[in-house]
Amino acid sequence: MPSIPTGVVRQAAAQAQPNIALVKYWGKRDVALNLPVVGSLSITLDSIWTRTLVCFEPALAQDTFILNGVANAAAGARASTSLDVLRARAGITTRARIETRNNFPTGAGLASSASGFAALVTAAAAALGLELDARERSVLARRGSGSAARSIFGGYAEWHRGTRDDGTDSCAEPLLAASAWPLRVVVAVTSEAQKSVSSTDGMLRTARTSPYERAWESTQEADLAEARAAIHAHDFAKLAAVSEASCLKMHALAMAARPGLLYWNAATMAGLHCVRQLRAEGVPVFFTVDAGPQLKAVCLPEAAEKVAAALCELPGVLRIVECGLGAGARVIPMETVAA
Ligand code: PMV
């Protein structure tokens, strides 16, 4: 296969933000392609981000991957697998230098793999001059990390399960712009540690051993329809009800695996009660939790300060990260990655 001519470097940079699922993804019908057993629905955040520079350089013997200034072989292997798909599309074999930076903790339940693969695919496609639309980038980002399919889009996005075996119809699409209904997300960080069971391992264990797998699959379409309708109607109470139900259902499914998956700690649990108490007092807020112990409280903008103050007080809450809703993955000037 041809290579980029010697001396020519093809490079581009991109930024993407994590997304938080309101109707959760859990379970793979194809592990290699990251095809989900259910569709899911999310919001993309604004102020926490991944910025990634990809340089295809003919002189390189192998891909190199630098995360926050440090070489990382394990993350590099996953990035190489994604780049191989893009290299095949472009008809080249040239290796790349990947420099990536997160302004938030990596692998600790803040969806760094979602923003990471969305930024990687967007930067690499631009560097190679591949004219891929957002749906195609969503399919490619999904192969790196399922939830990355959704970070290609801003605001509210839905990732379709798809039905094809090759995964070409399993991509996200936008539902509503961030500016059309600008909710806020208050994250209570309760641990900075990397999670003990990865989402992939957790999903496989769940599929093998949880007795609730069939109920999970058969009730997802109704949850998605309810969430979609709530978003289009800007109906906060309805979105709160379906989002909390989906979060608790996902964790119940995972807790019922053998051995059961417990992603929460005591502070996560205190956060769930705190959010429910605030809502009982009339504060427009609901919770969601992913495959880690961070508590994410989603609220109307006027409630954010009160929610942050209440969560901050809880024993075990280390710090608060507050975000709005933001844009999808996009190309950025290359110098902003090193800045
Ligand atoms: O995309 P992954 O492999 O990081 O899995 C994400 C799983 C959850 O965050 C728990 C749910 C979701 O829909 O994002």
Side-chain angles (χ1 to χ4, degrees):
M1 219 184 261
S3 181
I4 296 172
T6 311
V8 175
V9 172
R10 291 212 194 144
Q11 53 186 348
Q15 173 172 329
Q17 291 95 238
N19 69 80
I20 306 290
L22 302 183
V23 178
K24 301 293 185 192
Y25 149 54
W26 197 255
K28 299 177 198 263
R29 64 191 160 87
D30 183 313
V31 176
L33 289 175
N34 266 339
L35 295 179
V37 293
V38 292
S40 55
L41 189 153
S42 63
I43 44 179
T44 298
L45 304 179
D46 66 355
S47 49
I48 58 177
W49 46 250
T50 300
R51 288 180 181 165
T52 300
L53 174 69
V54 181
C55 306
F56 290 93
E57 296 179 11
L60 290 173
Q62 58 188 32
D63 293 330
T64 61
F65 185 90
I66 297 165
L67 171 64
N68 294 333
V70 181
N72 184 320
R78 283 179 75 189
S80 284
T81 306
S82 280
L83 289 190
D84 286 344
V85 180
L86 284 143
R87 277 188 277 254
R89 286 284 274 265
I92 61 152
T93 54
T94 309
R95 301 287 112 186
R97 179 167 51 85
I98 305 150
E99 279 173 39
T100 191
R101 205 151 58 84
N102 290 334
N103 71 342
F104 63 100
T106 303
L110 284 174
S112 53
S113 62
S115 52
F117 282 99
L120 178 72
V121 162
T122 302
L128 292 172
L130 295 171
E131 296 198 350
L132 303 178
D133 65 21
R135 277 177 62 105
E136 288 175 289
R137 282 186 290 122
S138 178
V139 166
L140 293 169
R142 186 206 75 224
R143 292 182 61 164
S145 169
S147 54
R150 302 183 307 236
S151 273
I152 294 294
F153 298 100
Y156 301 77
E158 179 171 353
W159 171 20
H160 299 288
R161 176 191 188 279
T163 52
R164 292 189 206 136
D165 289 341
D166 66 2
T168 49
D169 61 348
S170 184
C171 63
E173 67 172 5
L175 283 179
L176 189 72
S179 57
W181 196 24
L183 300 182
R184 297 209 55 92
V185 180
V186 178
V187 182
V189 177
T190 66
S191 167
E192 307 276 8
Q194 299 248 342
K195 56 192 165 208
S196 55
V197 182
S198 72
S199 45
T200 296
D201 291 346
M203 288 182 202
L204 295 179
R205 187 190 300 176
T206 304
R208 269 198 319 270
T209 61
S210 178
Y212 303 151
E213 184 69 25
R214 200 178 297 166
W216 168 251
E217 291 179 32
S218 67
T219 55
Q220 188 79 349
E221 280 307 317
D223 288 355
L224 286 168
E226 200 176 326
R228 240 180 262 131
I231 288 164
H232 288 306
H234 298 197
D235 185 334
F236 189 84
K238 192 169 176 172
L239 188 62
V242 68
S243 301
E244 288 195 355
S246 177
C247 164
L248 294 175
K249 189 160 47 171
M250 180 203 108
H251 285 277
L253 168 76
M255 280 180 201
R258 297 281 294 262
L261 292 153
L262 285 175
Y263 286 113
W264 304 345
N265 59 29
T268 321
M269 195 70 189
L272 301 180
H273 287 292
C274 174
V275 167
R276 285 263 169 106
Q277 179 61 34
L278 285 168
R279 200 162 67 248
E281 291 164 12
V283 179
V285 59
F286 64 85
F287 62 71
T288 191
V289 187
D290 293 298
Q294 325 306 0
L295 187 286
K296 290 128 189 181
V298 182
C299 61
L300 291 178
E302 59 270 24
E305 208 175 315
K306 193 164 191 180
V307 171
L311 290 173
C312 190
E313 288 292 298
L314 298 176
V317 170
L318 306 177
R319 61 195 177 92
I320 298 290
V321 178
E322 206 193 308
C323 302
L325 305 192
R330 62 217 175 267
V331 171
I332 55 170
M334 288 186 281
E335 57 277 13
T336 53
V337 176

